[in-house]
Amino acid sequence: MYDESCLPRIGSNIRLLRGACQFNQQQFAERIGISQTHLSNIEHNNVQVSLKLLVRSANALDCSLETLLDRKAAAEWAQAHD
């Protein structure tokens, strides 16, 4: 079950997974169709992420939405892709 407590972790999970894939912010932002500034704001939890952007991010990283939402799943995925 999910609750709102996972929302603040989405940005840091995206940053972790992006780093594991060795994308810089500009490269990843281009892949998901946003500006580098907007991605930075997402990663620092300054803005909320839409479901559409979560789906694009999961597809660009080749991971599940669960991985983006759950810190433990993100850490395990990043470790497996280092």
Side-chain angles (χ1 to χ4, degrees):
M1 185 64 65
Y2 297 104
D3 62 32
E4 293 179 22
S5 67
C6 74
L7 297 178
R9 291 188 289 270
I10 292 172
S12 59
N13 288 350
I14 289 174
R15 183 174 51 243
L16 174 69
L17 301 175
R18 175 181 61 76
C21 289
Q22 299 181 340
F23 292 128
N24 65 35
Q25 279 189 338
Q26 184 64 42
Q27 292 167 326
F28 190 67
E30 288 173 5
R31 289 181 81 107
I32 62 173
I34 62 173
S35 70
Q36 179 273 324
T37 302
H38 189 58
L39 177 59
S40 178
N41 283 325
I42 290 169
E43 290 183 354
H44 289 94
N45 297 311
N46 295 329
V47 296
Q48 292 185 345
V49 184
S50 69
L51 180 56
K52 183 177 182 178
L53 198 51
L54 282 177
V55 170
R56 285 184 194 167
S57 297
N59 287 335
L61 294 165
D62 196 25
C63 70
S64 67
L65 288 174
E66 174 76 21
T67 303
L68 292 176
L69 297 174
D70 182 77
R71 183 66 178 168
K72 183 179 177 188
E76 290 171 355
W77 188 94
Q79 186 176 25
H81 289 82
D82 269 343

